[in-house]
Amino acid sequence: MKKLFTLLTAMLFTAAGTVPARAEIKLPPDVMEYATVGINGVYSLDFELAQENIEKVFALYPDHPFAHFGNAMIAWSRYEYEFETSDDKQRKVFEKTLDDSIDGIKRWMKKYPDDPNAYMGIGALYGLRAMFAMRNRSWVTAYFSGRKAINRLEKSLELDPTYYDAYFGLGIYNYFAGTLPSVIKILAAIVAIKGDPDLGVEQLNLSREKAMFTSDSSKLILIEVQNTRGSKYYNPKKSLEYIRQLRAKYPDNPLMHYVELICLFETGDYDSVQKGGREFLSLIGKDPFYKDIYISRAYTAIGTSYMARGQWKEAKAAFEEGQAALAKQEPSRWGVWNEYRLGQVYDALGEREKAVAQYKKVLSFKDKWGFDEVAKQGVKNPWTAQDGTGVGPLPPL
């Protein structure tokens, strides 16, 4: 759950770059239009349109934070959504673009040291670096990048106390640093990571209510918070309300469509998840933004909703159908997760030999997505569930 929403949020956070300049430079209307069209292109996953317009900003203001931030976010979004974090070449493109973008904003800050937009932009990019490092279990890099992000965001508020967009990043930090899993808390104690989840939720709601451009991003993070089982903030009905608002605003974005399925799953509306999953599948190849790489997401929704009901034969049929549809695709995070889910279904049906074969198949792939641990457990011991108990949330680990 966390990965999906933080990645979506990274995309939406590009909007922070469109805050009107408050320092020495005010961008002319045409440049603001280029930045806005570019960012809307990212929202729609139209990366060609996005890049074309960000390049126009670069041409007129080579080191403006808007241009550098937008460029980094296009590279990030392509890696995350177009390639489903499964292409090592695109990962390298993103990492280099991120480094170059941070250096570019630093050059701008030397000329305009009191521009809150620059602190907001570079703070967001340091936050992105921290998020990326955490995914790759580079905890020390994540910590120091995170601290840089927070310091820059706090500086943007110091320069302009009405810059409510900064509360988005601060809210993320306080919430997630305050809810670190126990395995990370030892390191957290060493490097003095502190967080306050209540304050974080308060800051996210402040951004949701008052921020100019991170209001939607805050809704996405709050959806994750409200979909976290066992949390005192658990409120999937509110999450469903938020995602429907966002989907209405960004109707062409298939990932908004999919997050709605996740929220429906969390509310227990499995009929709607199955119907929506088939609808999602039907749009692939017909709608330009519903790409083949999203096929595995559709089957995850359909198959897992059957699992949650304890309808193992129907789940088996759905995942096997998905397995056949994905046979010619390169391995992706959601595709490999479907292979693991099929193993669980085989175990639930007592087809142990097939289940072990599925878990071993998962282990045959490079562990880019952290599935090896659960797959090894599956090889060692059969997975069991009664009437859907233990199936867990819809997205991959």
Side-chain angles (χ1 to χ4, degrees):
M1 179 75 71
K2 182 178 295 184
K3 289 182 179 178
L4 175 64
F5 287 110
T6 50
L7 301 184
L8 273 171
T9 300
M11 179 183 72
L12 282 180
F13 200 22
T14 57
T18 63
V19 178
R22 295 171 168 85
E24 290 86 344
I25 281 192
K26 291 185 178 180
L27 296 182
D30 58 340
V31 178
M32 288 298 296
E33 178 66 18
Y34 297 148
T36 301
V37 172
I39 287 162
N40 286 340
V42 177
Y43 288 160
S44 300
L45 305 185
D46 189 340
F47 301 120
E48 183 176 346
L49 176 67
Q51 193 69 61
E52 177 184 334
N53 280 273
I54 291 300
E55 289 299 330
K56 292 178 180 178
V57 181
F58 267 121
L60 294 171
Y61 292 88
D63 277 331
H64 195 280
F66 293 3
H68 283 298
F69 191 84
N71 208 37
M73 294 312 300
I74 291 169
W76 165 262
S77 299
R78 290 196 67 197
Y79 175 62
E80 292 296 340
Y81 310 120
E82 187 176 3
F83 296 95
E84 291 279 279
T85 70
S86 303
D87 188 297
D88 290 335
K89 289 183 179 179
Q90 187 61 33
R91 169 179 171 165
K92 291 178 181 178
V93 169
F94 158 66
E95 291 176 320
K96 185 178 186 306
T97 304
L98 178 61
D99 290 342
D100 291 346
S101 298
I102 289 174
D103 289 342
I105 297 179
K106 285 180 179 178
R107 290 193 296 270
W108 179 269
M109 293 170 75
K110 287 182 179 180
K111 296 180 180 179
Y112 306 102
D114 295 326
D115 184 358
N117 296 294
Y119 285 97
M120 182 69 172
I122 201 169
L125 292 185
Y126 277 128
L128 183 57
R129 178 181 280 170
M131 188 189 308
F132 190 72
M134 284 187 69
R135 169 191 288 172
N136 292 284
R137 299 175 175 83
S138 300
W139 306 119
V140 174
T141 298
Y143 167 70
F144 285 109
S145 295
R147 286 309 307 165
K148 288 180 180 179
I150 297 307
N151 289 338
R152 273 59 174 185
L153 292 172
E154 289 176 341
K155 179 65 174 180
S156 70
L157 278 172
E158 179 184 327
L159 291 166
D160 185 347
T162 68
Y163 209 153
Y164 292 105
D165 294 271
Y167 285 109
F168 170 69
L170 295 172
I172 289 177
Y173 177 85
N174 274 307
Y175 176 78
F176 288 106
T179 56
L180 288 170
S182 58
V183 70
I184 304 173
K185 285 186 177 178
I186 296 176
L187 176 63
I190 294 173
V191 296
I193 295 177
K194 295 181 179 180
D196 183 339
D198 288 339
L199 177 60
V201 170
E202 179 182 335
Q203 289 171 326
L204 286 167
N205 275 302
L206 186 60
S207 171
R208 176 182 62 82
E209 294 168 358
K210 295 188 176 183
M212 288 185 288
F213 299 104
T214 56
S215 175
D216 292 341
S217 304
S218 296
K219 286 180 182 178
L220 279 170
I221 288 294
L222 287 167
I223 287 170
E224 176 183 346
V225 170
Q226 293 160 178
N227 280 8
T228 302
R229 298 179 183 184
S231 167
K232 70 178 184 178
Y233 311 108
Y234 188 66
N235 190 348
K237 289 184 179 180
K238 179 64 72 174
S239 295
L240 186 60
E241 176 187 333
Y242 286 169
I243 193 56
R244 283 177 169 165
Q245 292 170 0
L246 291 171
R247 192 178 174 197
K249 190 172 182 179
Y250 308 112
D252 295 330
N253 189 326
L255 300 180
M256 297 297 181
H257 184 175
Y258 199 77
V259 173
E260 183 177 6
L261 297 183
I262 292 172
C263 294
L264 286 166
F265 182 90
E266 207 58 33
T267 64
D269 188 354
Y270 303 128
D271 285 337
S272 293
V273 176
Q274 289 163 14
K275 180 180 178 181
R278 291 293 180 187
E279 177 191 359
F280 191 96
L281 189 62
S282 72
L283 291 170
I284 294 174
K286 295 181 181 178
D287 186 291
F289 300 114
Y290 284 73
K291 300 181 182 298
D292 286 349
I293 201 166
Y294 298 146
I295 290 173
S296 53
R297 292 175 181 264
Y299 284 107
T300 295
I302 297 165
T304 311
S305 61
Y306 280 125
M307 290 178 71
R309 280 178 157 166
Q311 295 177 310
W312 306 113
K313 291 182 180 179
E314 291 83 354
K316 174 183 174 181
F319 283 122
E320 286 183 340
E321 181 183 343
Q323 187 181 57
L326 297 167
K328 295 182 181 180
Q329 284 193 8
E330 290 295 318
S332 67
R333 176 170 167 253
W334 288 79
V336 175
W337 182 247
N338 273 263
E339 299 285 2
Y340 173 72
R341 283 297 201 188
L342 182 55
Q344 290 181 307
V345 171
Y346 284 147
D347 262 337
L349 289 168
E351 300 178 30
R352 181 60 181 160
E353 186 174 337
K354 287 185 176 181
V356 171
Q358 282 301 119
Y359 300 137
K360 288 183 177 179
K361 186 175 182 179
V362 172
L363 291 168
S364 72
F365 300 110
K366 183 179 179 181
D367 189 25
K368 297 180 180 180
W369 308 286
F371 299 156
D372 274 10
E373 183 178 349
V374 292
K376 288 176 181 177
Q377 292 173 358
V379 170
K380 185 176 180 181
N381 297 302
W383 181 83
T384 60
Q386 184 176 2
D387 296 327
T389 302
V391 169
L394 177 58
L397 298 172

